[in-house]
Amino acid sequence: MPNLEHPAYPAATLHHLESLVPCRESQVSMLLSIFGERQQFSFPSIFIYGHTSSGKTYVMQTLLNTLKLPHVFVNCVEYFTSRLLLEEILIQLQSRSSATEQTSQVSCDTFNDFVRLFKQAVASRELQDETLYIVLDRAEQLREMEANILPAFLRLQELTDRNVTVILLSEIVWELFRPNIGCFEPFTLYFPDYSIGHLQKILSQSHPPDYSADFYAAYINILLGVFYMVCRDLKELQHLAALNFSKYCEPVVRGEANERDTRKLWKNIEPHLKKAMQTVYLREISSAQWERLQHDDGEPGQLKGLSAHTHVELPYYSKFLLIAAYLASYNPVRTDKRFFLKHHGKIRKTNFMKKHEKTSNHLLGPKPFPLDRLLAILYSIVDNRVAPTANIFSQITSLVTLQLLSMVGHNDQLDGPRYKCTVSLDFIRAVAR
Amino acid sequence: MSTCSVSKGCFVFKPSPKKRRVSQKTVHFGERKDSGDTDLQFVTCQALWNQIKQELEQIQEDLNKQLLDNLESFLRRSHSEFQAKTTEWTYRMKSREIPTAALVLGVNVTDHDLTFRSISEVLQQNVTPYIALLEAKDCTGIKNLMQKLMGQLMNCYIDVDSLEDEDNVQVSHNRIRCSMTSLVNWYEGVTKKTSSETPSKKRTSSSRHWLSSPIVVIFKDMESFTTKVLQDFIVISSQHIHQLPLVLIFGIATSPMIIHSLLPHSVSSLLCIELFQSLSCKEHLSTVVDKLLLTTQFPFKLGEKVLQVLINIFLYHDFSVQNFIKGFQLCIVEHFYSQPLSILCCQMADVKTRVNSLSHEQCENVRRLPSFRRYVEGQVSENQIALLTADNYLKEVVQKLLEDLHVYHENYIPVLRCLHVLTSSLPKYPLGKQIRELHCMCLEDQVWETEEYESALQLARMLNKSDLVNVLQQCVEIFVSSAVKEFDQTVEKLKEFLTQFQKLEVAEAFQERDVSVSSQKELQKKTDLYHLQKSLLELKESRRSKKLTKFEMLRFEVVDYIDGLVRSYLAPADHKTLHEVVYFNTPSVLREHLNAAPRIALHTALNNPHCYLKAFSTVVTAAEGPDAASSDQVDDIIHARFIRAVSELELLGFIKPSKQKTDHVARLTWGGC
């Protein structure tokens, strides 16, 4: 384990920092050496990437807060337009520089304005000589904004001529960011996934006050044994740990086992956790419901999950319309005559199916079909006569709004509309029953 | 008029009856027999409809009560736990999910508006003033969604806090930054204000909301939202859940699975989803039918064919109770509009005065009614003359007949319910599962002459005792609650049956034991195969020809008694004199209005150029007033315009000539063109 060392910061602070970011020491020390001392210019832009919940945001926040470095932290999903994003950065800057002064309304439409206002904001601050860090979380959103935003952020130090470093946090690799026209290459830093050992260590750190750390660590060990196969998300695991811990403690509370009786405790909790994996982890039932169940000692079987309610009740003709749409989507046009006409004539068995049709149509997905074909199939599958009233047409539209059908390429006003059937075979089977 | 769908398709606009009424009055004034009672007709119609509307609102409220109660307690629970126990370890460790109610409402999208309206009303009253209703068509991007959300929330804030601090909120929406931070700031400001205000001053408006009211965001049509917008919104709001107690409500028309197909696990794991299901629309319809049609509360009735049309539209096409009610309303309006005698379709208390004030012309109308003519034909000749000549005598008779009709309805309904109780306990439901099907059958014809009725009775004769007793008990309840004097005897009789069944139970227990014991003894006696076979055959024989047991006799008696009730009370309504006054039975009108067939109309029009031309000239001259369109001869200029327009359309490809062969007469006359 590398101990954090840096001449610019007191050892106690560094030690505290190290305790806050377990399993991320090497990344932190790397960042510290790039940052250098407070007043030193740092690398203009740093790109940090890693999988979901590999501690990118947490490490950055802890680092900047513990060392009290001046910074601005913005989530790009939340500020979804460039204008909102730039204004948010300026607002945070203003509120940082002068707590007493009322923040005035900033309006910043372009990056040009931003650079100007940014200079003003920095100039009014006392800490002009310190490096300012702008952290852009979920930076992949920047790609959806105007084309100049990302390259400009990468060169912000140069553009503003101020001591500023932009840090981008993202879940995807830098190669997917690089614009066609080229740009300033940031320093890239990778946060690897936590290993099972790391997870164990991190999760065990936050044990409840009423129980010993060892007891909780044993619990985490069992939990990871069950969930590590499906879930490596630290937050999710922590959530699951908190949800199920009371069940784990049950034998101890009732006095049936003591804290060291690992085997007994394991027997008690293991089936419970497996059940949790099938229900609460998938959000089939909510965590609140899960807790209530645990509290009342009820069987999770009584509570039906979301996917238990798959049945959709449809009006009579809607059912037929949906079935007709399904047939139209998955059968080739040539077979219509054979399936839906009484006297369709003989079909030679040989080479009836062309080669490419031998692959299952279900693998290929639904094909679009015109409205008239849908209606023709409908008329032939409904026993009695169907009048093509407006009600039938409005049902097609409502099936589209229910996302059971979808309309394809409706920009052509001259042709009739074309649809696709979006439901699965199982659904159609249930409807047809 | 506009639709809520952006997609191309065909939309039906139900004619708004009141508007149509006015326009018809002015345009086709000559068509209807003007009796001079138009105003009275109108007033009666309005009064009746208002009454029905109130009843419907009550029904709606009752049906939604359960759902609303559940939803309310969910909302109250959702954030209070976190607020109460923030210090506990588990609550610190758990990730804070956004409480979400998945509200499965069924595919009848047209009814949802009403449900959401009542939900937001109730929530506004009891839980929180901060409610935003979002629709997919307004939220194409996250930006639009935020704008809409903030607009609605900040407006509702004005509503609650009256207008005293208007200057504070008068910030135009363009200037508000549409981000979650501004929403958080706004919320902090609002809650601080309400909590700091003196309680005495605010008691009236906000005492029922608790201190930190959650913000409820309702997604009306979950299916139509795009994945991206929903994901972004959920991710953003989950980051502010600590400062902003959000609760989401997803309105789902199909199945809750849609949540999983719209949202990836990383997003759905931010939610704490609980499922709520509203009443199925079929049950809703049953209640509406029960409360509107199977009651004597409202004088207006639907004829069999009309009811069938409305129910078919419901079952075959839309599942929409609102449309059913609209159809019902159309029937009422149409009835009062087309039937001059509909002024007599009022509460029994008013009948006397209305009958007495009938004009001579109206009396003639009465005499023209087919059912009344049938009635007259059945009378002795002096009476016939009196009925046809003396208005005053006629009025007396009419009043009596109307009273008879009312009594008929009073009797009809409980007997119908009894028959339904009996038949709905039979296997395969020969007379229908729902009471409305039975009602239709009874209206259509004499139900006891149908084959289904015959088979139903046969099945009823095979019911076991517990079922039969159950049916009888329910029948007694129905008759007692109907409170019709005429049925006092019936109740007595049914109760008698019940006591007889009880006696039987005791007696039979003894008998059966005897029989079984003796036969078994006999079997035991004979040991060789031949005798055994013989005795078994005998036993079988005796069982077949065995006399009916007491229970079976009684069962026959009961079924026959109910059959008798049916025959005397369930005669179809169109056999009754003056039924035209209260029954609306012109399904063609209804079909014309509700089952529009645009394709057929277009097809016929386009196949016949003359029709096409006529329609064209009507449209063109419509602006000039009705007189211009009425002349048969089409103006030459319009003709020329038409031909030019057609060829232009052809050139653009909107229409094309059909390959249909020209009629030979036309060919002879016009040549090849």
Side-chain angles (χ1 to χ4, degrees):
Chain A
M1 282 289 151
N3 255 326
L4 292 182
E5 275 179 21
H6 201 278
Y9 307 103
T13 323
L14 285 177
H15 192 73
H16 178 60
L17 178 66
E18 194 176 339
S19 71
L20 284 175
V21 287
C23 315
R24 282 285 172 259
E25 292 86 356
S26 62
Q27 281 81 11
V28 171
S29 81
M30 168 74 105
L31 281 171
L32 280 180
S33 32
I34 296 169
F35 288 175
E37 289 175 27
R38 282 174 184 270
Q39 70 285 355
Q40 287 170 344
F41 271 67
S42 169
F43 206 79
S45 47
I46 303 171
F47 180 82
I48 298 176
Y49 69 104
H51 206 269
T52 321
S53 87
S54 46
K56 303 178 291 292
T57 313
Y58 174 74
V59 166
M60 271 329 288
Q61 256 169 342
T62 337
L63 178 67
L64 295 171
N65 284 331
T66 330
L67 299 183
K68 299 204 173 61
L69 299 172
H71 68 273
V72 171
F73 210 99
V74 191
N75 187 328
C76 296
V77 179
E78 197 181 330
Y79 302 97
F80 37 83
T81 63
S82 59
R83 187 187 151 154
L84 280 177
L85 183 72
L86 299 177
E87 284 179 0
E88 177 63 23
I89 295 174
L90 291 174
I91 288 173
Q92 284 198 25
L93 265 180
Q94 278 187 354
S95 60
R96 208 153 237 294
S97 60
S98 45
T100 48
E101 201 181 299
Q102 269 297 324
T103 50
S104 57
Q105 194 82 31
V106 272
S107 116
C108 171
D109 281 323
T110 61
F111 211 89
N112 194 22
D113 287 342
F114 175 71
V115 171
R116 184 172 50 83
L117 293 166
F118 182 82
K119 280 187 194 166
Q120 281 175 14
V122 174
S124 66
R125 296 162 51 111
E126 297 84 51
L127 324 141
Q128 276 183 55
D129 44 348
E130 276 188 46
T131 316
L132 175 76
Y133 297 93
I134 297 179
V135 187
L136 301 174
D137 201 357
R138 309 277 302 245
E140 56 269 17
Q141 292 291 322
L142 289 177
R143 299 181 303 166
E144 324 230 315
M145 297 177 189
E146 288 86 339
N148 68 330
I149 297 289
L150 178 65
F153 266 122
L154 293 172
R155 281 178 184 276
L156 193 62
Q157 198 175 76
E158 184 187 327
L159 290 171
T160 56
D161 199 20
R162 293 290 180 275
N163 190 356
V164 60
T165 291
V166 176
I167 300 169
L168 305 171
L169 305 181
S170 173
E171 287 177 11
I172 55 178
V173 291
W174 168 247
E175 279 65 35
L176 294 171
F177 276 79
R178 197 178 285 139
N180 295 333
I181 45 169
C183 65
F184 181 82
E185 291 285 316
F187 178 84
T188 54
L189 183 62
Y190 176 58
F191 274 40
D193 283 354
Y194 290 116
S195 70
I196 188 163
H198 290 159
L199 288 174
Q200 168 87 39
K201 189 175 165 196
I202 297 167
L203 286 171
S204 312
Q205 257 191 357
S206 50
H207 66 93
D210 310 347
Y211 294 93
S212 73
D214 283 348
F215 179 67
Y216 192 69
Y219 167 64
I220 290 298
N221 195 16
I222 296 171
L223 186 89
L224 281 176
V226 176
F227 280 104
Y228 187 69
M229 292 295 287
V230 292
C231 174
R232 298 178 186 195
D233 189 327
L234 187 63
K235 261 187 234 149
E236 185 73 19
L237 283 169
Q238 200 163 39
H239 181 66
L240 287 165
L243 272 186
N244 294 304
F245 186 62
S246 66
K247 179 83 181 171
Y248 183 70
C249 300
E250 234 172 45
V252 181
V253 173
R254 275 184 300 194
E256 288 168 10
N258 67 20
E259 290 197 12
R260 307 232 161 268
D261 224 344
T262 347
R263 199 181 145 65
K264 209 167 195 175
L265 290 171
W266 178 77
K267 260 197 161 168
N268 173 48
I269 193 73
E270 218 242 333
H272 186 75
L273 287 180
K274 286 217 163 125
K275 201 146 264 168
M277 187 162 76
Q278 285 158 14
T279 53
V280 71
Y281 170 63
L282 294 176
R283 295 304 188 273
E284 282 288 298
I285 61 177
S286 74
S287 34
Q289 281 170 323
W290 179 253
E291 283 192 317
R292 250 174 283 147
L293 268 180
Q294 245 175 50
H295 196 256
D296 308 338
D297 253 338
E299 266 296 296
Q302 314 157 351
L303 204 72
K304 280 193 192 157
L306 291 184
S307 14
H309 302 264
T310 47
H311 182 64
V312 179
E313 213 172 341
L314 289 171
Y316 186 78
Y317 281 135
S318 294
K319 281 185 191 172
F320 277 103
L321 273 172
L322 201 57
I323 294 169
Y326 188 81
L327 293 173
S329 258
Y330 287 97
N331 285 338
V333 183
R334 293 182 311 115
T335 56
D336 280 0
K337 200 175 156 201
R338 184 171 165 230
F339 290 144
F340 304 116
L341 276 187
K342 277 201 178 107
H343 309 290
H344 50 75
K346 276 225 162 144
I347 293 158
R348 271 170 295 133
K349 270 219 173 131
T350 48
N351 67 39
F352 168 65
M353 295 287 266
K354 281 184 190 151
K355 229 180 201 151
H356 66 271
E357 282 174 1
K358 286 204 175 125
T359 40
S360 166
N361 276 319
H362 291 286
L363 292 178
L364 296 173
K367 292 186 186 60
F369 53 84
L371 174 68
D372 289 325
R373 189 169 164 229
L374 172 72
L375 290 176
I377 296 179
L378 173 76
Y379 297 146
S380 77
I381 58 172
V382 179
D383 283 338
N384 41 354
R385 264 194 79 247
V386 193
T389 59
N391 282 330
I392 297 279
F393 295 108
S394 61
Q395 273 183 65
I396 298 176
T397 321
S398 55
L399 286 176
V400 172
T401 54
L402 294 180
Q403 301 277 298
L404 299 174
L405 299 183
S406 71
M407 194 183 260
V408 264
H410 54 112
N411 42 13
D412 192 357
Q413 290 288 321
L414 284 182
D415 285 340
R418 293 163 71 80
Y419 300 93
K420 244 183 197 181
C421 182
T422 53
V423 297
S424 65
L425 181 61
D426 291 335
F427 189 93
I428 281 291
R429 281 217 179 103
V431 166
R433 212 174 291 136
Chain B
M1 281 191 219
S2 64
T3 64
C4 53
S5 169
V6 285
S7 51
K8 195 165 68 168
C10 186
F11 301 94
V12 192
F13 290 109
K14 298 285 153 54
S16 113
K18 269 162 211 142
K19 239 188 252 164
R20 200 171 48 74
R21 189 172 195 282
V22 174
S23 66
Q24 274 198 357
K25 229 192 224 168
T26 52
V27 180
H28 312 285
F29 203 62
E31 241 176 57
R32 59 190 295 256
K33 291 165 269 176
D34 187 29
S35 54
D37 285 332
T38 6
D39 287 341
L40 189 57
Q41 264 165 274
F42 182 69
V43 170
T44 324
C45 175
Q46 288 281 305
L48 178 68
W49 174 244
N50 285 338
Q51 219 182 343
I52 288 177
K53 212 163 98 184
Q54 270 180 5
E55 177 77 19
L56 280 170
E57 274 161 18
Q58 189 60 42
I59 294 172
Q60 182 82 25
E61 202 173 292
D62 292 347
L63 289 179
N64 278 336
K65 197 169 181 327
Q66 174 88 42
L67 176 73
L68 288 175
D69 285 352
N70 288 345
L71 209 58
E72 213 184 297
S73 64
F74 167 75
L75 287 178
R76 286 179 183 282
R77 204 167 50 213
S78 56
H79 281 284
S80 54
E81 274 182 11
F82 272 100
Q83 275 151 6
K85 309 178 200 168
T86 35
T87 46
E88 262 180 48
W89 173 81
T90 25
Y91 287 92
R92 257 188 299 126
M93 293 312 294
K94 259 194 311 193
S95 43
R96 181 105 181 242
E97 295 165 316
I98 310 173
T100 306
L103 202 61
V104 182
L105 293 163
V107 295
N108 45 336
V109 186
T110 29
D111 294 354
H112 293 181
D113 265 347
L114 208 66
T115 318
F116 280 120
R117 210 180 308 149
S118 57
I119 286 178
S120 53
E121 256 168 37
V122 168
L123 295 186
Q124 208 135 40
Q125 268 173 19
N126 300 339
V127 185
T128 168
Y130 315 120
I131 294 176
L133 260 171
L134 298 178
E135 266 180 280
K137 64 167 182 184
D138 303 327
C139 306
T140 43
I142 178 77
K143 193 174 165 188
N144 308 52
L145 188 144
M146 291 301 290
Q147 260 167 359
K148 203 85 196 161
L149 177 71
M150 293 178 68
Q152 286 191 23
L153 285 176
M154 299 191 174
N155 272 337
C156 85
Y157 163 67
I158 298 180
D159 286 343
V160 164
D161 255 9
S162 68
L163 295 164
E164 58 194 71
D165 39 23
E166 226 173 84
D167 51 333
N168 200 357
V169 201
Q170 278 297 310
V171 194
S172 73
H173 288 299
N174 295 334
R175 279 184 56 214
I176 297 174
R177 299 182 64 244
C178 285
S179 67
M180 220 46 165
T181 13
S182 26
L183 200 62
V184 171
N185 290 339
W186 163 82
Y187 184 75
E188 271 170 8
V190 173
T191 40
K192 210 177 281 169
K193 192 176 289 165
T194 37
S195 57
S196 66
E197 254 162 39
T198 47
S200 59
K201 191 180 150 200
K202 272 285 122 172
R203 185 119 296 184
T204 43
S205 69
S206 58
S207 60
R208 298 170 75 185
H209 306 140
W210 7 287
L211 211 64
S212 55
S213 315
I215 295 179
V216 179
V217 183
I218 304 178
F219 294 86
K220 271 173 128 177
D221 39 356
M222 175 81 175
E223 279 91 353
S224 311
F225 277 89
T226 52
T227 316
K228 175 104 175 56
V229 170
L230 275 178
Q231 276 187 37
D232 283 355
F233 179 71
I234 291 170
V235 169
I236 294 172
S237 36
S238 82
Q239 277 171 348
H240 291 277
I241 191 73
H242 292 277
Q243 303 131 296
L244 203 66
L246 266 177
V247 181
L248 308 183
I249 296 181
F250 292 156
I252 296 171
T254 49
S255 82
M257 284 294 282
I258 194 83
I259 298 176
H260 289 317
S261 56
L262 275 177
L263 303 175
H265 182 252
S266 61
V267 176
S268 67
S269 64
L270 301 173
L271 302 175
C272 174
I273 308 165
E274 270 185 52
L275 194 67
F276 296 87
Q277 219 147 6
S278 77
L279 196 74
S280 95
C281 50
K282 283 184 180 170
E283 279 171 58
H284 191 168
L285 180 78
S286 301
T287 328
V288 168
V289 167
D290 209 57
K291 292 269 165 71
L292 281 192
L293 302 179
L294 301 178
T295 167
T296 49
Q297 197 186 346
F298 307 112
F300 176 77
K301 306 278 174 203
L302 287 184
E304 185 262 335
K305 294 225 173 64
V306 172
L307 182 56
Q308 204 69 57
V309 168
L310 288 180
I311 288 178
N312 280 351
I313 290 178
F314 176 85
L315 288 180
Y316 285 180
H317 294 295
D318 55 9
F319 271 175
S320 162
V321 179
Q322 288 312 310
N323 279 353
F324 181 85
I325 291 167
K326 287 262 169 65
F328 186 65
Q329 190 184 10
L330 178 66
C331 292
I332 295 177
V333 172
E334 200 57 55
H335 178 69
F336 280 91
Y337 175 67
S338 60
Q339 177 59 265
L341 287 171
S342 55
I343 48 163
L344 298 179
C345 181
C346 56
Q347 298 298 337
M348 273 325 275
D350 300 337
V351 162
K352 195 173 177 188
T353 47
R354 293 217 175 165
V355 169
N356 282 336
S357 61
L358 283 183
S359 64
H360 173 68
E361 218 168 305
Q362 284 281 41
C363 291
E364 285 301 313
N365 280 336
V366 172
R367 288 177 188 126
R368 263 183 239 125
L369 291 179
S371 71
F372 189 74
R373 270 198 239 156
R374 241 182 292 139
Y375 170 76
V376 171
E377 277 157 25
Q379 302 292 314
V380 286
S381 56
E382 299 123 55
N383 215 351
Q384 278 183 358
I385 294 167
L387 279 173
L388 293 179
T389 51
D391 280 358
N392 279 338
Y393 180 62
L394 178 85
K395 283 177 190 172
E396 268 172 45
V397 174
V398 165
Q399 196 187 329
K400 204 183 109 322
L401 286 172
L402 284 175
E403 272 161 20
D404 282 352
L405 198 62
H406 184 71
V407 171
Y408 159 75
H409 286 134
E410 269 185 349
N411 296 337
Y412 175 89
I413 291 158
V415 175
L416 183 78
R417 285 186 202 279
C418 279
L419 183 61
H420 176 66
V421 165
L422 179 69
T423 54
S424 61
S425 58
L426 299 176
K428 281 194 197 161
Y429 311 104
L431 285 176
K433 212 173 182 175
Q434 302 282 347
I435 194 162
R436 53 168 188 261
E437 297 167 57
L438 190 63
H439 180 53
C440 278
M441 286 179 98
C442 292
L443 281 176
E444 192 185 2
D445 211 350
Q446 293 174 332
V447 71
W448 55 88
E449 308 224 307
T450 57
E451 272 175 39
E452 292 91 349
Y453 182 76
E454 204 57 44
S455 64
L457 277 200
Q458 250 163 23
L459 286 171
R461 290 196 181 102
M462 286 184 267
L463 276 180
N464 64 20
K465 190 157 60 193
S466 65
D467 282 350
L468 201 57
V469 168
N470 196 4
V471 167
L472 282 179
Q473 273 162 350
Q474 285 186 46
C475 286
V476 168
E477 268 168 40
I478 289 168
F479 281 125
V480 168
S481 65
S482 78
V484 179
K485 275 235 174 72
E486 220 174 314
F487 289 125
D488 286 352
Q489 261 189 330
T490 318
V491 173
E492 286 301 308
K493 183 80 185 161
L494 291 176
K495 280 187 178 160
E496 198 185 308
F497 281 134
L498 279 173
T499 45
Q500 275 178 333
F501 273 119
Q502 268 171 358
K503 273 184 204 160
L504 267 185
E505 228 164 274
V506 185
E508 240 166 62
F510 282 113
Q511 238 175 15
E512 249 169 48
R513 203 190 299 150
D514 283 353
V515 172
S516 60
V517 167
S518 64
S519 63
Q520 264 184 352
K521 261 182 196 164
E522 264 174 53
L523 280 181
Q524 277 163 356
K525 252 192 271 171
K526 278 146 196 153
T527 41
D528 61 314
L529 194 67
Y530 173 74
H531 282 285
L532 183 70
Q533 216 169 11
K534 204 176 160 191
S535 66
L536 275 175
L537 274 175
E538 262 171 24
L539 210 69
K540 214 173 163 188
E541 200 66 7
S542 74
R543 227 174 250 165
R544 198 176 290 159
S545 62
K546 202 168 58 177
K547 257 182 64 189
L548 294 171
T549 62
K550 268 190 187 161
F551 165 67
E552 281 163 333
M553 301 262 283
L554 197 56
R555 189 164 60 183
F556 270 96
E557 223 175 297
V558 169
V559 174
D560 285 345
Y561 184 74
I562 293 179
D563 183 38
L565 282 178
V566 168
R567 280 167 198 268
S568 47
Y569 292 112
L570 290 192
D574 49 8
H575 289 210
K576 296 283 161 197
T577 315
L578 291 188
H579 69 89
E580 290 94 336
V581 172
V582 294
Y583 277 86
F584 176 69
N585 211 357
T586 12
S588 55
V589 179
L590 207 58
R591 264 191 225 122
E592 202 179 293
H593 287 303
L594 300 184
N595 285 354
R599 268 211 166 190
I600 294 174
L602 267 181
H603 197 77
T604 44
L606 291 180
N607 266 351
N608 187 345
H610 185 64
C611 261
Y612 197 9
L613 169 62
K614 279 275 241 199
F616 182 76
S617 77
T618 319
V619 173
V620 168
T621 52
E624 294 159 27
D627 298 331
S630 60
S631 64
D632 278 345
Q633 204 54 48
V634 179
D635 188 13
D636 276 348
I637 297 174
I638 290 176
H639 202 150
R641 270 174 70 186
F642 171 71
I643 289 173
R644 186 163 178 177
V646 168
S647 55
E648 269 170 13
L649 284 176
E650 202 177 323
L651 188 72
L652 291 171
F654 285 105
I655 58 171
K656 64 178 182 187
S658 70
K659 296 246 165 59
Q660 210 175 27
K661 271 189 186 153
T662 328
D663 179 47
H664 71 278
V665 179
R667 199 152 27 160
L668 274 177
T669 326
W670 304 109
C673 65

